[in-house]
Amino acid sequence: MSAAPTVARTAGDALRRARLFPRVWIGVACVCISVLLLPLFFPLDGKPHADWLQFLGRFHPLVVHVPIGLIVVLPLVEFAGTRRQSFREAAGFLLQISLLACVVSIFFGFLLAYGSGEMGTTVTRHMRGGILLVIELSLCLAVRSSWLRAGRSRLYVTLLTVVLVTLGWTAHQGGSLTHGGDYLTRYMPSPLKRILAPSAVSSHPNSFFARHIYPVLDTKCVACHGTNKEQGGLRLDSYESLMVGGKDGIVIAPRNPEHSLLLQKVTLPPTDPHFMPAEGRTPLTPEEIARIRAWVVEGAPPAATSVPGVFIAEDQEQAPPPVGDYSAFMAEIRQMQQSPGAKLVPVSADPSDGLILRTADIAGRFDDAQLRKFQRFAPFIVEAELARTTVTDAGVETLVQFKNLRALHLEGTAVSGQTLGKLSTLSQLTYLNLSGTKVTSDAVAPLKLDANLRHLYLFNTPAEPAPTADTSGRSIP
């Protein structure tokens, strides 16, 4: 007997059964399979891809609010439909538009994550929540017609409730990506926070890392390198993760700051494409970089309470007094910013916050004579970044006239310390970095007695003290 008739009958039976299968279920199956396959087409490998993918993907935060609003309104319209038929018809259309908007939003979300190289636990949860939401909405669309006919079926109402729960959870994951994972716990009462959101450095709360390194990473770096995102496979939200490094290798090389990738990235010129933090986020201050460098030089210890060469008083910080109005010099200040050479940069839009003297672009050519040219701006300068310049002890004589100076960077200069004692007359000076100079213990002794000077950096100098231990076993610089 020929097999051809049997095959023909089998195929015919399959076609007849397919005609009986509701088209809506076929559509639901196609939609669900499509969104489930998206991670295969756009695998989140942690690597940035084409710029045009990132350009399109950045419309995701705009598009995603459309399905959110529609889904929230949908149950209200369904309820109104129990009293007026026109609302019932509108609810059906609203469900279809919600499903379409959700699919479009997921597509743009994948372009954003894949194009920018974002990955991490929260990114994955947000992605899976969006996919689950599409599947649930598709099922709602499939069972709604039978619910309308029967009038007593609870399946559609149950699915709609699950959709709202999934929407809330997925939206929370997306919000955590934008505002940080601690957005809801940041101001949580302490007893509740200890239970629900324990600190990443709770094991050594009094360590130098916990008090002076982790807060910098948490504020400036964890948004892109934490639980929410792991760009480059790197997490910086705990000591253990920091020391493990990422896809480019270790980022902290104990006792070797020059080979520590983290320090390399944060000290690049802001215009460098590898500069960190990226995407216009607030960069680390010279003081924060100095603390990290000193900690790395000491060996990046997890539990040490102090670092030799770094003296930080724990006094309560007070708001600095305002300086005078430098508005009359704005034309000259703008010209400096547009020309090569040393620059005066406003701290903020408020002139009373003062100016910052920056010399990084010409550090090797900036000497005592050039410093004296800024003497007429002395009342307005609150920070002087003179690191690696050729300024000497004679330059300190000029700096004494900067009466509102709060932070002074002299690391890597030719200052020997002969005139350092005169800096004690600067009542607003709270930060002084002398690392990499020839200053001695006798030269800095008067400065250590200055109650206003809260941050004094002396590592890699003759004045750098050797660590000792007190009766409690703590390391003291």
Side-chain angles (χ1 to χ4, degrees):
M1 181 178 178
S2 174
T6 303
V7 173
R9 283 196 301 272
T10 303
D13 291 342
L15 288 173
R16 282 191 293 273
R17 284 194 296 270
R19 292 193 191 99
L20 295 174
F21 198 76
R23 292 182 179 179
V24 65
W25 282 102
I26 297 175
V28 165
C30 292
V31 171
C32 293
I33 292 173
S34 298
V35 294
L36 287 172
L37 289 177
L38 269 178
L40 298 179
F41 291 103
F42 300 102
L44 304 185
D45 53 9
K47 300 177 182 178
H49 294 83
D51 289 346
W52 68 269
L53 292 175
Q54 296 189 52
F55 169 71
L56 293 177
R58 293 198 172 196
F59 286 94
H60 172 71
L62 173 65
V63 176
V64 76
H65 290 87
V66 176
I68 292 176
L70 295 175
I71 293 171
V72 170
V73 173
L74 178 60
L76 300 178
V77 180
E78 289 284 17
F79 177 76
T82 59
R83 297 184 179 352
R84 187 176 299 180
Q85 184 62 30
S86 59
F87 282 107
R88 179 67 30 103
E89 295 173 357
F93 176 73
L94 195 61
L95 177 58
Q96 296 175 31
I97 296 299
S98 299
L99 176 58
L100 177 62
C102 200
V103 171
V104 173
S105 177
I106 286 180
F107 178 73
F108 279 98
F110 268 102
L111 292 181
L112 176 61
Y114 179 73
S116 62
E118 292 184 2
M119 60 182 298
T121 304
T122 307
V123 172
T124 302
R125 288 175 180 171
H126 187 53
M127 172 191 71
R128 292 175 178 172
I131 292 175
L132 186 59
L133 200 57
V134 168
I135 294 174
E136 291 170 357
L137 285 171
S138 300
L139 292 175
C140 284
L141 187 63
V143 304
R144 186 174 184 273
S145 57
S146 60
W147 172 71
L148 290 175
R149 288 195 302 270
R152 296 186 301 274
S153 174
R154 296 182 179 179
L155 181 57
Y156 176 68
V157 176
T158 302
L159 281 173
L160 208 55
T161 303
V162 173
V163 165
L164 292 176
V165 173
T166 303
L167 175 66
W169 183 81
T170 305
H172 171 66
Q173 303 304 317
S176 296
L177 291 172
T178 304
H179 303 291
D182 65 341
Y183 182 68
L184 295 178
T185 61
R186 186 177 304 162
Y187 301 106
M188 184 181 290
S190 297
L192 193 61
K193 191 173 185 178
R194 281 195 293 269
I195 298 173
L196 300 179
S199 172
V201 293
S202 57
S203 56
H204 304 290
N206 295 319
S207 67
F208 188 89
F209 174 79
R211 292 181 293 117
H212 303 301
I213 305 299
Y214 177 75
V216 177
L217 301 178
D218 185 46
T219 304
K220 306 287 181 70
C221 309
V222 168
C224 294
H225 299 287
T227 304
N228 299 336
K229 301 179 186 178
E230 296 179 22
Q231 290 187 356
L234 175 64
R235 287 182 57 174
L236 301 176
D237 55 348
S238 70
Y239 175 83
E240 293 74 18
S241 299
L242 171 66
M243 301 309 291
V244 167
K247 291 186 176 181
D248 293 332
I250 60 172
V251 295
I252 294 294
R255 303 188 186 280
N256 196 341
E258 303 306 322
H259 288 83
S260 295
L261 189 60
L262 185 142
L263 284 169
Q264 293 175 13
K265 293 291 184 78
V266 300
T267 54
L268 288 170
T271 55
D272 192 292
H274 299 102
F275 173 76
M276 294 293 169
E279 300 181 359
R281 298 181 184 275
T282 304
L284 276 66
T285 66
E287 178 182 351
E288 292 167 343
I289 294 173
R291 289 184 184 184
I292 296 175
R293 185 181 297 276
W295 178 70
V296 171
V297 168
E298 181 57 17
T305 57
S306 61
V307 170
V310 178
F311 173 77
I312 302 177
E314 300 295 342
D315 299 340
Q316 182 68 31
E317 296 284 347
Q318 297 181 353
V323 301
D325 188 349
Y326 57 80
S327 300
F329 297 97
M330 279 307 301
E332 190 173 350
I333 291 172
R334 290 194 185 98
Q335 186 177 2
M336 287 184 196
Q337 294 172 352
Q338 297 172 1
S339 306
K343 297 174 174 59
L344 289 174
V345 181
V347 172
S348 71
D350 185 354
S352 66
D353 287 338
L355 298 166
I356 301 174
L357 172 58
R358 287 185 174 159
T359 63
D361 294 342
I362 60 161
R365 304 191 304 274
F366 191 89
D367 55 18
D368 297 331
Q370 292 202 45
L371 179 60
R372 285 193 292 271
K373 294 180 181 179
F374 288 88
Q375 203 165 328
R376 58 200 181 94
F377 299 101
F380 315 112
I381 296 177
V382 297
E383 182 173 351
E385 298 177 1
L386 305 176
R388 290 169 291 281
T389 62
T390 58
V391 169
T392 67
D393 292 322
V396 176
E397 300 280 358
T398 303
L399 291 169
V400 172
Q401 302 177 43
F402 291 37
K403 297 300 182 181
N404 286 310
L405 196 62
R406 302 165 192 163
L408 176 57
H409 292 266
L410 291 172
E411 57 265 38
T413 62
V415 172
S416 66
Q418 296 177 2
T419 57
L420 277 180
K422 297 183 178 182
L423 293 178
S424 298
T425 61
L426 300 178
S427 60
Q428 302 302 321
L429 189 64
T430 61
Y431 173 96
L432 176 59
N433 195 329
L434 295 166
S435 302
T437 63
K438 301 299 182 182
V439 297
T440 63
S441 298
D442 292 338
V444 300
L447 298 175
K448 286 189 175 182
L449 299 176
D450 187 349
N452 294 320
L453 190 60
R454 298 184 177 91
H455 310 283
L456 178 60
Y457 292 81
L458 300 169
F459 63 89
N460 196 23
T461 70
E464 179 179 351
T468 59
D470 64 6
T471 55
S472 64
R474 295 178 299 173
S475 176
I476 303 176

